[in-house]
Amino acid sequence: MLKTRHLIEPSDLTLEELDDLFTLAERIEKEPLYLRESCRGKLLAVLFFEPSTRTRLSFEAAMFRLGGSCLGFADPSASSTVKGESLADTVRMVACYADVIVMRNPKEGAALLASRYSSVPVINAGDGGHHHPTQTLTDLLAIRRLRGFIGNFTIGFCGDLKFGRTVHSLAKTLVRYCGVKQMFISPPELRVPSYITTELGVNGIEYVETDSIESVIGQLDVLYMTRVQKERFFNEEDYIRLKDTYILDTRKMELAKKDLFVLHPLPRVNEITPEVDSDPRAVYFKQAKFGMFIRMALLAEILDTVI
Ligand code: CP
């Protein structure tokens, strides 16, 4: 179905394709032997020009669990990028060696550019403050598994909504599901970009922007916390001033619904206190594990190895 296709933004997938991926990921989770050897002989190139723990390692784990192999780099300083090789040439070369490429790059639009020079599918693992489609797959699978289906809920995005690519990808994708109300909680300097709110407005989606988490937390079914993205600030003073604007603690959790789910793409810095981790509503570590199953499903579909 997805064979030979690039995944640059979540909108590259239809709702039906998303649903099929979630169903496949759920089957893989339930039946660990299903598809275990399906990617034997296939190679995944993992090109990370920015640091990562979850995305890179879950992609590698996914490929190994499907019987395939991985090559690549976690640090571009060990590649010929430091000699001045362009991204286009790097991707052209890697496509000679691998069957699929997963790439993270600090520049917005880098994955799209790579896809234009690659003879094999390119999966965007994050391009600057733009998109992170496989995190969206992870988030949606988590919501489906925890709530039973994706629709009819209120989600609050909290923190750095300006630079948070996971927020941009998920907010845009939720426009395509029924009955999802979105609340954007941020300081004025870190508001969600207008291209996202415009998309919501054009589609008649109800949304709220506020700087107060206390005023809305009681209305939320899903709270999506994010860290302030230090690496995207031009000015350290601004980062220091804004980094601890929101800290989710047990006192704030007392204001929330009993069936709230707290998601976070991770890494977490200070925005959720460790005491919240033991609250059953805090599901961010479970969410990260769903990321491996959905990436297994995605690789198996793109490499056309689902039997
Ligand atoms: N969620 C996420 O993208 O985490 P990493 O930066 O660790 O990959």
Side-chain angles (χ1 to χ4, degrees), residues 48 51-56 104 125 132 135 165-166 265-267 295:
F48 275 62
S52 167
T53 295
R54 277 145 294 276
T55 311
R56 185 172 68 82
R104 172 172 288 184
H132 192 345
Q135 182 64 45
R165 58 193 171 198
T166 69
L266 304 177
R295 289 178 176 113

mmCIF file of all heavy atoms in Angstrom, residues 48 51-56 104 125 132 135 165-166 265-267 295, ligand 1:
data_model
loop_
_atom_site.group_PDB
_atom_site.id
_atom_site.type_symbol
_atom_site.label_atom_id
_atom_site.label_comp_id
_atom_site.label_asym_id
_atom_site.label_seq_id
_atom_site.Cartn_x
_atom_site.Cartn_y
_atom_site.Cartn_z
ATOM 1 N N PHE A 48 20.826 10.762 11.231
ATOM 2 C CA PHE A 48 20.391 11.722 12.245
ATOM 3 C C PHE A 48 21.390 12.869 12.347
ATOM 4 O O PHE A 48 22.487 12.711 12.877
ATOM 5 C CB PHE A 48 20.142 11.030 13.593
ATOM 6 C CG PHE A 48 18.741 10.462 13.654
ATOM 7 C CD1 PHE A 48 18.337 9.475 12.771
ATOM 8 C CD2 PHE A 48 17.821 10.957 14.557
ATOM 9 C CE1 PHE A 48 17.039 8.985 12.777
ATOM 10 C CE2 PHE A 48 16.519 10.478 14.578
ATOM 11 C CZ PHE A 48 16.119 9.489 13.693
ATOM 12 N N PRO A 51 20.337 15.275 17.587
ATOM 13 C CA PRO A 51 20.256 14.211 18.593
ATOM 14 C C PRO A 51 18.862 13.588 18.692
ATOM 15 O O PRO A 51 17.854 14.227 18.375
ATOM 16 C CB PRO A 51 20.591 14.924 19.904
ATOM 17 C CG PRO A 51 21.268 16.185 19.507
ATOM 18 C CD PRO A 51 20.721 16.571 18.176
ATOM 19 N N SER A 52 18.828 12.343 19.127
ATOM 20 C CA SER A 52 17.564 11.632 19.331
ATOM 21 C C SER A 52 17.817 10.440 20.232
ATOM 22 O O SER A 52 18.880 9.827 20.175
ATOM 23 C CB SER A 52 17.036 11.129 17.983
ATOM 24 O OG SER A 52 16.000 10.191 18.157
ATOM 25 N N THR A 53 16.851 10.112 21.058
ATOM 26 C CA THR A 53 16.880 8.838 21.776
ATOM 27 C C THR A 53 15.760 7.945 21.236
ATOM 28 O O THR A 53 16.004 6.885 20.662
ATOM 29 C CB THR A 53 16.709 9.050 23.293
ATOM 30 O OG1 THR A 53 17.844 9.785 23.759
ATOM 31 C CG2 THR A 53 16.636 7.725 24.051
ATOM 32 N N ARG A 54 14.510 8.381 21.398
ATOM 33 C CA ARG A 54 13.354 7.547 21.044
ATOM 34 C C ARG A 54 13.231 7.263 19.558
ATOM 35 O O ARG A 54 13.040 6.125 19.152
ATOM 36 C CB ARG A 54 12.045 8.208 21.497
ATOM 37 C CG ARG A 54 11.684 7.985 22.919
ATOM 38 C CD ARG A 54 11.014 9.221 23.463
ATOM 39 N NE ARG A 54 11.976 10.291 23.488
ATOM 40 C CZ ARG A 54 12.846 10.468 24.490
ATOM 41 N NH1 ARG A 54 12.779 9.716 25.543
ATOM 42 N NH2 ARG A 54 13.759 11.416 24.440
ATOM 43 N N THR A 55 13.271 8.303 18.736
ATOM 44 C CA THR A 55 12.940 8.111 17.323
ATOM 45 C C THR A 55 13.971 7.191 16.665
ATOM 46 O O THR A 55 13.619 6.214 16.001
ATOM 47 C CB THR A 55 12.869 9.468 16.601
ATOM 48 O OG1 THR A 55 12.059 10.336 17.385
ATOM 49 C CG2 THR A 55 12.269 9.320 15.219
ATOM 50 N N ARG A 56 15.246 7.499 16.892
ATOM 51 C CA ARG A 56 16.292 6.681 16.250
ATOM 52 C C ARG A 56 16.281 5.252 16.796
ATOM 53 O O ARG A 56 16.255 4.285 16.027
ATOM 54 C CB ARG A 56 17.671 7.314 16.458
ATOM 55 C CG ARG A 56 18.780 6.572 15.712
ATOM 56 C CD ARG A 56 20.084 7.327 15.792
ATOM 57 N NE ARG A 56 20.646 7.365 17.128
ATOM 58 C CZ ARG A 56 21.361 6.383 17.689
ATOM 59 N NH1 ARG A 56 21.603 5.265 17.022
ATOM 60 N NH2 ARG A 56 21.834 6.517 18.909
ATOM 61 N N ARG A 104 16.559 12.721 10.294
ATOM 62 C CA ARG A 104 16.246 13.901 11.121
ATOM 63 C C ARG A 104 17.268 14.979 10.788
ATOM 64 O O ARG A 104 18.469 14.690 10.683
ATOM 65 C CB ARG A 104 16.301 13.566 12.605
ATOM 66 C CG ARG A 104 16.179 14.799 13.490
ATOM 67 C CD ARG A 104 16.038 14.470 14.944
ATOM 68 N NE ARG A 104 14.721 13.914 15.230
ATOM 69 C CZ ARG A 104 14.303 13.597 16.455
ATOM 70 N NH1 ARG A 104 15.110 13.796 17.487
ATOM 71 N NH2 ARG A 104 13.106 13.091 16.639
ATOM 72 N N ALA A 125 12.036 12.104 10.173
ATOM 73 C CA ALA A 125 12.072 11.860 11.625
ATOM 74 C C ALA A 125 12.180 13.182 12.381
ATOM 75 O O ALA A 125 12.626 13.221 13.524
ATOM 76 C CB ALA A 125 13.241 10.951 11.961
ATOM 77 N N HIS A 132 6.964 16.181 12.387
ATOM 78 C CA HIS A 132 7.519 14.950 12.943
ATOM 79 C C HIS A 132 6.423 13.883 12.786
ATOM 80 O O HIS A 132 5.764 13.499 13.750
ATOM 81 C CB HIS A 132 7.879 15.180 14.415
ATOM 82 C CG HIS A 132 8.706 14.104 15.062
ATOM 83 N ND1 HIS A 132 8.888 12.838 14.515
ATOM 84 C CD2 HIS A 132 9.395 14.091 16.235
ATOM 85 C CE1 HIS A 132 9.653 12.120 15.322
ATOM 86 N NE2 HIS A 132 9.982 12.861 16.372
ATOM 87 N N GLN A 135 6.071 10.731 15.040
ATOM 88 C CA GLN A 135 5.624 11.006 16.418
ATOM 89 C C GLN A 135 4.107 11.138 16.427
ATOM 90 O O GLN A 135 3.436 10.676 17.359
ATOM 91 C CB GLN A 135 6.281 12.286 16.948
ATOM 92 C CG GLN A 135 5.897 12.608 18.391
ATOM 93 C CD GLN A 135 6.368 11.559 19.398
ATOM 94 O OE1 GLN A 135 7.512 11.117 19.334
ATOM 95 N NE2 GLN A 135 5.491 11.142 20.310
ATOM 96 N N ARG A 165 7.607 20.739 16.900
ATOM 97 C CA ARG A 165 7.140 20.117 15.638
ATOM 98 C C ARG A 165 6.125 19.012 15.885
ATOM 99 O O ARG A 165 5.265 18.757 15.052
ATOM 100 C CB ARG A 165 8.347 19.609 14.842
ATOM 101 C CG ARG A 165 9.209 18.596 15.586
ATOM 102 C CD ARG A 165 10.545 18.387 14.887
ATOM 103 N NE ARG A 165 11.466 17.581 15.676
ATOM 104 C CZ ARG A 165 12.770 17.544 15.474
ATOM 105 N NH1 ARG A 165 13.327 18.277 14.529
ATOM 106 N NH2 ARG A 165 13.547 16.770 16.210
ATOM 107 N N THR A 166 6.216 18.355 17.037
ATOM 108 C CA THR A 166 5.255 17.279 17.304
ATOM 109 C C THR A 166 3.858 17.860 17.463
ATOM 110 O O THR A 166 2.866 17.246 17.067
ATOM 111 C CB THR A 166 5.640 16.472 18.559
ATOM 112 O OG1 THR A 166 5.478 17.285 19.708
ATOM 113 C CG2 THR A 166 7.057 15.956 18.488
ATOM 114 N N PRO A 265 5.764 13.969 24.073
ATOM 115 C CA PRO A 265 6.605 13.256 23.091
ATOM 116 C C PRO A 265 7.956 12.858 23.675
ATOM 117 O O PRO A 265 8.631 11.992 23.123
ATOM 118 C CB PRO A 265 6.745 14.268 21.952
ATOM 119 C CG PRO A 265 6.507 15.617 22.585
ATOM 120 C CD PRO A 265 5.525 15.377 23.706
ATOM 121 N N LEU A 266 8.343 13.523 24.773
ATOM 122 C CA LEU A 266 9.636 13.332 25.435
ATOM 123 C C LEU A 266 10.760 13.772 24.473
ATOM 124 O O LEU A 266 10.531 13.757 23.282
ATOM 125 C CB LEU A 266 9.817 11.886 25.903
ATOM 126 C CG LEU A 266 8.704 11.365 26.846
ATOM 127 C CD1 LEU A 266 8.951 9.885 27.175
ATOM 128 C CD2 LEU A 266 8.633 12.186 28.128
ATOM 129 N N PRO A 267 11.940 14.173 24.916
ATOM 130 C CA PRO A 267 12.378 14.142 26.304
ATOM 131 C C PRO A 267 11.681 15.203 27.163
ATOM 132 O O PRO A 267 11.370 16.290 26.704
ATOM 133 C CB PRO A 267 13.872 14.439 26.194
ATOM 134 C CG PRO A 267 14.012 15.244 24.939
ATOM 135 C CD PRO A 267 12.981 14.718 24.008
ATOM 136 N N ARG A 295 6.200 2.097 14.249
ATOM 137 C CA ARG A 295 7.311 2.189 13.276
ATOM 138 C C ARG A 295 7.558 0.824 12.630
ATOM 139 O O ARG A 295 7.947 0.750 11.466
ATOM 140 C CB ARG A 295 8.556 2.770 13.956
ATOM 141 C CG ARG A 295 8.353 4.265 14.261
ATOM 142 C CD ARG A 295 9.483 4.940 14.971
ATOM 143 N NE ARG A 295 9.211 6.368 15.111
ATOM 144 C CZ ARG A 295 8.984 7.004 16.271
ATOM 145 N NH1 ARG A 295 9.057 6.361 17.419
ATOM 146 N NH2 ARG A 295 8.720 8.300 16.293
HETATM 147 N N1 CP B 1 9.943 12.249 20.673
HETATM 148 C C1 CP B 1 11.162 12.363 20.098
HETATM 149 O O1 CP B 1 11.285 12.756 18.918
HETATM 150 O O2 CP B 1 12.175 11.987 20.913
HETATM 151 P P1 CP B 1 13.720 11.968 20.488
HETATM 152 O O3 CP B 1 14.130 13.384 20.204
HETATM 153 O O4 CP B 1 14.446 11.349 21.628
HETATM 154 O O5 CP B 1 13.803 11.133 19.230
#
